[in-house]
Amino acid sequence: MRYKLSRSTHAPSRRRFLAAGLAALGAGGLRSALVRAAEAPALRKLAAEKGLIYGTTIAATQITGDPPFVDLVRHEAGLVVAENEMKWQVMNRGGPEEDDYGPADTIANFASVNELVLRGHNLLWYHRTPNWYFDLADRQQQERAVIDHIQQLAGRYRGKIHSWDVVNEPIEPKDGRPGGLRNAVFFETLGPEYLDLAYHAARDADPKALLVVNEYDIELDAPEQEARRSALLHLLERMRRSGTPVDAVGIQAHLTAAGGRPFSAPLLRKFLAELAGLGLTIQITELDVTDENVPADVTVRDRVVADTYGRFLDAALDEPAVKMVVTWGLSDRHSWIVRRETHQTKWRTDDAVPRPLPFDADLEPKPAFDAIAGAFAHAPERAPG
Ligand code: XIL
């Protein structure tokens, strides 16, 4: 049976949270605090008060098929990103120039009608490249295909996208290539310059969008993640030096509540400061927390997941260059972890349904919601970016 957090379980912590906020304010701030307290503490509002944008993934089928979830997204999120619909392989119908923009347009229109910020995810990802691309004979054809794709996709949404993940996951030191770059299909033929080609093409196609390098497994205190961090820093330094347009770095932050690599707040702060030192904006782009290795008991799992969110965000938000937090979904009803869409066949070894996101499958807030709300409330204010 699926556990449902009752309102009464949730309410005291929310009251505590609001009371703490009121106590922290002087008389001048009291009125606006009371106004705020009358509303639910939507994550988007708590984030905005600190100069942050909070957002979530959405899918076109959710927009058309799950109105209660969509209401929750509208209430909580200031930004949406297509979970899959803008990925090249997903939109491609089998040949060059055969992209179906329908589902991506559904999401772009949803953002526009609801005045939500729109992220673009992504222009190139080795893992979601159409099959026909792998058959292209030579360098020239591959270059043309990359440029055409970026011109068409980024060009279609020109002026509407806040930030584009131009190349997703370019780093993999284990591949043994120079600079720790991933031996992606683009790298094989075009070499490291594929990155420069892609970022220049994206800048030309949509000059106002922030151009992002988005990467995973760079948050934790483990030698292999250190290698990934150092390769990423090296790449970003090189791009900045050579005038390749890159504005931001995306920290995916797919976290594990227990049994994973250790988390070190000082280490994360140091890494974020190094990225900020390159003049880059930082975005947390795919935050979620798996609960494998935590006992099945829901109360325990929710607490450990919430702690993981809280510790990570408290450290990350200390860095003023962090301007955005996106969770990879909003409710456990729609999570890739629950759907088990991964190379791992299972996230848990028992039959318990994972609970990785701030709202449960019944759209009720969980302790993870309180942890995120609390982290936003405690975060230092920053200039929006
Ligand atoms: C995932 C989606 O959530 C799944 O639905 C899909 O099957 C695979 O991709 N890093 C990324 C995201 O950059 O695009 C991935 O999204 C999760 C890992």
Side-chain angles (χ1 to χ4, degrees):
M1 201 183 81
R2 182 162 289 152
Y3 178 91
K4 182 169 174 247
L5 263 182
S6 69
R7 278 283 179 198
S8 59
T9 312
H10 176 64
S13 67
R14 189 180 141 200
R15 269 201 302 276
R16 265 203 310 278
F17 168 69
L18 290 171
L22 285 171
L25 284 160
L30 193 59
R31 208 188 115 70
S32 62
L34 287 172
V35 171
R36 277 205 305 280
E39 302 170 346
L43 295 177
R44 60 181 291 166
K45 291 192 184 126
L46 294 168
E49 281 164 15
K50 300 304 171 67
L52 286 159
I53 302 175
Y54 168 72
T56 176
T57 51
I58 196 158
T61 50
Q62 292 156 15
I63 292 172
T64 49
D66 191 348
F69 174 72
V70 167
D71 283 347
L72 184 69
V73 170
R74 278 203 205 94
H75 187 256
E76 297 295 332
L79 170 151
V80 287
V81 54
E83 183 170 0
N84 289 301
E85 289 82 344
M86 290 191 188
K87 294 170 185 170
W88 194 1
Q89 188 189 52
V90 173
M91 59 194 328
N92 189 257
R93 281 185 285 217
E97 316 285 320
E98 285 183 49
D99 291 333
D100 174 8
Y101 289 97
D105 282 353
T106 300
I107 292 174
N109 292 339
F110 176 79
S112 151
V113 166
N114 292 289
E115 296 180 359
L116 299 174
V117 174
L118 182 62
R119 272 196 108 244
H121 177 78
N122 49 53
L123 293 172
L124 290 185
W125 188 19
Y126 76 98
H127 196 44
R128 286 287 184 275
T129 304
N131 295 341
W132 56 262
Y133 181 93
F134 292 79
D135 298 330
L136 293 178
D138 59 24
R139 183 183 178 100
Q140 217 189 347
Q141 285 183 4
Q142 290 198 17
E143 259 188 39
R144 195 64 260 158
V146 163
I147 293 174
D148 284 352
H149 172 62
I150 293 177
Q151 276 175 351
Q152 280 160 24
L153 182 52
R156 184 178 186 88
Y157 302 114
R158 181 187 176 102
K160 295 182 178 158
I161 299 269
H162 177 280
S163 25
W164 263 117
D165 293 330
V166 179
V167 177
N168 199 32
E169 305 179 351
I171 302 296
E172 185 47 276
K174 283 186 198 138
D175 284 352
R177 295 293 181 277
L181 290 181
R182 180 183 290 279
N183 191 25
V185 59
F186 316 106
F187 182 93
E188 280 173 1
T189 320
L190 306 178
E193 300 84 48
Y194 89 86
L195 287 143
D196 309 284
L197 185 82
Y199 282 81
H200 279 292
R203 181 67 99 223
D204 289 347
D206 189 353
K208 290 202 179 127
L210 294 184
L211 304 185
V212 188
V213 174
N214 195 39
E215 194 50 86
Y216 73 101
D217 275 1
I218 49 173
E219 306 84 10
L220 301 178
D221 188 4
E224 69 278 9
Q225 295 213 5
E226 187 56 44
R228 299 173 63 80
R229 277 191 288 277
S230 110
L232 180 60
L233 278 165
H234 182 81
L235 169 66
L236 292 165
E237 266 162 23
R238 177 182 74 65
M239 291 171 79
R240 296 293 271 182
R241 223 182 17 248
S242 61
T244 297
V246 55
D247 308 298
V249 58
I251 311 274
Q252 289 190 9
H254 292 291
L255 305 177
T256 304
R261 305 296 186 215
F263 173 68
S264 157
L267 188 137
L268 181 67
R269 285 199 197 92
K270 177 173 162 279
F271 176 51
L272 298 181
E274 283 169 334
L275 293 169
L278 294 174
L280 296 164
T281 289
I282 303 169
Q283 304 177 344
I284 309 300
T285 51
E286 306 188 11
L287 181 59
D288 57 11
V289 180
T290 62
D291 59 14
E292 74 253 38
N293 303 314
V294 185
D297 181 89
V298 166
T299 314
V300 176
R301 271 200 282 155
D302 282 357
R303 198 189 63 231
V304 182
V305 166
D307 282 355
T308 308
Y309 271 107
R311 272 182 296 132
F312 175 78
L313 284 177
D314 282 346
L317 297 181
D318 276 348
E319 170 53 59
V322 174
K323 311 286 189 187
M324 179 189 287
V325 175
V326 178
T327 49
W328 206 240
L330 186 60
S331 148
D332 296 340
R333 180 183 290 192
H334 300 297
S335 161
W336 71 310
I337 291 163
V338 177
R339 294 194 300 261
R340 294 176 179 166
E341 286 172 10
T342 164
H343 52 281
Q344 281 173 253
T345 48
K346 276 184 157 208
W347 296 92
R348 293 189 60 86
T349 48
D350 56 20
D351 285 333
V353 180
R355 299 173 59 85
L357 290 168
F359 288 80
D360 72 9
D362 297 321
L363 310 181
E364 293 289 334
K366 293 159 50 187
F369 171 92
D370 293 328
I372 299 171
F376 289 164
H378 299 135
E381 216 174 309
R382 66 215 61 219

